Amino acid sequence: MNKDKSKLYRKVNTRTFNVHHNFGGDYRDTRHSNKETLEQAKGKMSAKKERGLDYTSLYRFLISKVGSDWNEVFSEAKSRLDKAEPIFALVALKENEKQDFVRIGESSYFSGLYVDHNNILQLSNPNLKAKDMKPFCPCCTHTFNGELFGTE
Protein backbone atom coordinates (compact mmCIF):
# COMPACT_ATOMS: atom_id res chain seq x y z
CA MET A 1 0.00 0.00 0.00
CA ASN A 2 1.21 3.50 -0.83
CA LYS A 3 2.34 5.14 2.43
CA ASP A 4 2.71 8.66 0.97
CA LYS A 5 -0.99 9.17 0.24
CA SER A 6 -4.03 8.51 2.40
CA LYS A 7 -5.97 5.27 2.11
CA LEU A 8 -9.06 5.15 -0.08
CA TYR A 9 -11.08 3.27 2.53
CA ARG A 10 -11.81 3.55 6.22
CA LYS A 11 -12.90 1.31 9.02
CA VAL A 12 -16.49 1.87 10.05
CA ASN A 13 -17.22 2.48 13.72
CA THR A 14 -18.34 -0.97 14.82
CA ARG A 15 -19.00 0.03 18.43
CA THR A 16 -21.85 2.42 17.69
CA PHE A 17 -25.24 1.46 19.09
CA ASN A 18 -27.55 -0.33 16.66
CA VAL A 19 -25.01 -0.58 13.81
CA HIS A 20 -24.73 -4.12 12.47
CA HIS A 21 -21.99 -5.33 10.16
CA ASN A 22 -23.13 -8.88 9.38
CA PHE A 23 -21.68 -10.43 12.52
CA GLY A 24 -22.25 -14.00 13.64
CA GLY A 25 -23.80 -17.00 12.03
CA ASP A 26 -20.62 -18.83 11.07
CA TYR A 27 -20.27 -21.17 14.02
CA ARG A 28 -23.63 -20.79 15.70
CA ASP A 29 -25.46 -22.40 12.79
CA THR A 30 -23.49 -25.63 13.10
CA ARG A 31 -22.58 -25.98 16.79
CA HIS A 32 -25.55 -28.16 17.75
CA SER A 33 -25.35 -30.52 14.81
CA ASN A 34 -24.74 -34.16 15.63
CA LYS A 35 -21.89 -34.51 13.20
CA GLU A 36 -18.71 -32.66 14.16
CA THR A 37 -16.65 -31.49 11.21
CA LEU A 38 -12.88 -31.18 11.06
CA GLU A 39 -13.14 -27.39 11.24
CA GLN A 40 -15.21 -27.63 14.43
CA ALA A 41 -12.79 -30.07 16.03
CA LYS A 42 -9.71 -28.01 15.24
CA GLY A 43 -11.39 -24.66 15.86
CA LYS A 44 -10.91 -23.02 12.47
CA MET A 45 -11.32 -19.27 12.51
CA SER A 46 -13.00 -17.60 9.57
CA ALA A 47 -10.65 -14.98 8.15
CA LYS A 48 -12.39 -14.58 4.80
CA LYS A 49 -15.09 -12.17 5.98
CA GLU A 50 -14.18 -8.52 6.10
CA ARG A 51 -16.60 -6.36 7.98
CA GLY A 52 -16.67 -2.69 8.72
CA LEU A 53 -14.85 -1.22 5.68
CA ASP A 54 -16.19 1.86 3.90
CA TYR A 55 -15.00 2.55 0.34
CA THR A 56 -16.84 5.85 -0.19
CA SER A 57 -13.56 7.75 -0.58
CA LEU A 58 -12.51 5.28 -3.30
CA TYR A 59 -15.73 5.86 -5.23
CA ARG A 60 -15.34 9.63 -5.01
CA PHE A 61 -11.72 9.30 -6.14
CA LEU A 62 -12.75 7.23 -9.18
CA ILE A 63 -15.49 9.70 -10.17
CA SER A 64 -13.00 12.57 -9.88
CA LYS A 65 -10.68 10.78 -12.34
CA VAL A 66 -13.23 10.57 -15.20
CA GLY A 67 -11.44 11.43 -18.45
CA SER A 68 -8.06 10.13 -17.22
CA ASP A 69 -6.03 7.16 -18.44
CA TRP A 70 -7.38 3.98 -16.84
CA ASN A 71 -3.97 2.37 -16.25
CA GLU A 72 -2.76 5.37 -14.22
CA VAL A 73 -6.01 5.61 -12.24
CA PHE A 74 -6.05 1.88 -11.53
CA SER A 75 -2.43 1.73 -10.40
CA GLU A 76 -2.87 4.69 -8.03
CA ALA A 77 -6.13 3.35 -6.60
CA LYS A 78 -4.72 -0.15 -6.17
CA SER A 79 -1.66 1.19 -4.34
CA ARG A 80 -3.92 2.98 -1.83
CA LEU A 81 -6.25 0.02 -1.14
CA ASP A 82 -6.07 -3.23 0.78
CA LYS A 83 -7.44 -5.15 -2.26
CA ALA A 84 -8.48 -4.30 -5.82
CA GLU A 85 -12.00 -5.82 -5.86
CA PRO A 86 -13.91 -2.71 -4.62
CA ILE A 87 -12.74 -0.79 -7.69
CA PHE A 88 -14.80 -3.02 -9.94
CA ALA A 89 -18.01 -2.37 -7.99
CA LEU A 90 -18.17 0.91 -9.94
CA VAL A 91 -15.94 0.35 -12.99
CA ALA A 92 -16.95 -1.95 -15.83
CA LEU A 93 -14.14 -3.07 -18.10
CA LYS A 94 -16.49 -4.26 -20.86
CA GLU A 95 -19.08 -2.18 -22.70
CA ASN A 96 -21.92 -4.64 -22.05
CA GLU A 97 -21.33 -4.62 -18.25
CA LYS A 98 -21.70 -0.88 -17.71
CA GLN A 99 -24.54 0.48 -15.57
CA ASP A 100 -25.98 4.00 -15.27
CA PHE A 101 -25.71 3.92 -11.48
CA VAL A 102 -24.57 1.47 -8.83
CA ARG A 103 -26.15 0.95 -5.43
CA ILE A 104 -23.60 0.84 -2.63
CA GLY A 105 -25.02 -0.04 0.74
CA GLU A 106 -28.61 0.61 1.72
CA SER A 107 -29.27 4.07 0.28
CA SER A 108 -26.08 5.31 -1.40
CA TYR A 109 -25.82 5.41 -5.16
CA PHE A 110 -22.86 6.31 -7.35
CA SER A 111 -22.43 6.89 -11.08
CA GLY A 112 -21.47 3.83 -13.04
CA LEU A 113 -18.10 4.03 -14.77
CA TYR A 114 -16.56 2.14 -17.66
CA VAL A 115 -13.30 2.01 -19.59
CA ASP A 116 -13.77 2.98 -23.23
CA HIS A 117 -11.88 1.62 -26.25
CA ASN A 118 -9.20 4.35 -25.86
CA ASN A 119 -8.50 3.15 -22.28
CA ILE A 120 -10.09 6.29 -20.78
CA LEU A 121 -12.32 6.16 -17.70
CA GLN A 122 -15.81 7.42 -18.60
CA LEU A 123 -19.22 7.91 -16.95
CA SER A 124 -21.80 5.41 -18.15
CA ASN A 125 -24.52 8.08 -18.17
CA PRO A 126 -23.05 11.61 -17.93
CA ASN A 127 -26.53 13.20 -17.98
CA LEU A 128 -27.70 11.50 -14.78
CA LYS A 129 -27.81 13.94 -11.84
CA ALA A 130 -29.03 13.78 -8.23
CA LYS A 131 -31.95 16.07 -9.08
CA ASP A 132 -33.26 13.47 -11.56
CA MET A 133 -33.27 10.65 -9.01
CA LYS A 134 -36.29 9.85 -6.85
CA PRO A 135 -36.13 7.94 -3.54
CA PHE A 136 -37.64 4.48 -3.47
CA CYS A 137 -38.94 4.85 0.08
CA PRO A 138 -39.78 7.98 2.12
CA CYS A 139 -38.08 6.80 5.31
CA CYS A 140 -34.44 6.77 4.10
CA THR A 141 -32.05 9.48 3.02
CA HIS A 142 -30.90 8.50 -0.48
CA THR A 143 -27.76 10.02 -1.98
CA PHE A 144 -26.29 10.01 -5.46
CA ASN A 145 -22.55 10.73 -5.56
CA GLY A 146 -22.87 12.24 -2.08
CA GLU A 147 -25.77 14.60 -2.93
CA LEU A 148 -29.34 14.15 -1.74
CA PHE A 149 -31.85 12.89 -4.28
CA GLY A 150 -33.81 15.75 -5.86
CA THR A 151 -31.16 18.44 -5.15
CA GLU A 152 -28.95 20.29 -7.59
Side-chain angles (χ1 to χ4, degrees), residues 33-34 65 83 86-87 116-117 127 131:
S33 64
N34 293 333
K65 295 296 183 178
K83 58 186 177 189
I87 296 172
D116 68 4
H117 61 281
N127 298 324
K131 67 179 178 178

Side-chain angles (χ1 to χ4, degrees), residues 62-141:
L62 290 172
I63 290 171
S64 72
K65 295 296 183 178
V66 167
S68 302
D69 180 56
W70 168 243
N71 292 332
E72 294 174 9
V73 172
F74 180 71
S75 65
E76 182 178 350
K78 188 177 171 187
S79 71
R80 296 169 63 184
L81 288 172
D82 56 339
K83 58 186 177 189
E85 287 85 20
I87 296 172
F88 300 106
L90 238 57
V91 180
L93 297 178
K94 297 178 183 172
E95 184 80 22
N96 61 346
E97 295 176 351
K98 70 179 186 177
Q99 301 174 3
D100 287 348
F101 59 88
V102 179
R103 180 179 176 182
I104 305 292
E106 189 173 319
S107 58
S108 298
Y109 296 81
F110 288 92
S111 296
L113 304 172
Y114 75 101
V115 180
D116 68 4
H117 61 281
N118 293 326
N119 209 32
I120 303 295
L121 187 64
Q122 299 288 340
L123 287 170
S124 296
N125 185 355
N127 298 324
L128 191 61
K129 306 286 184 213
K131 67 179 178 178
D132 302 328
M133 307 280 284
K134 292 187 174 31
F136 301 108
C137 66
C139 61
C140 300
T141 303

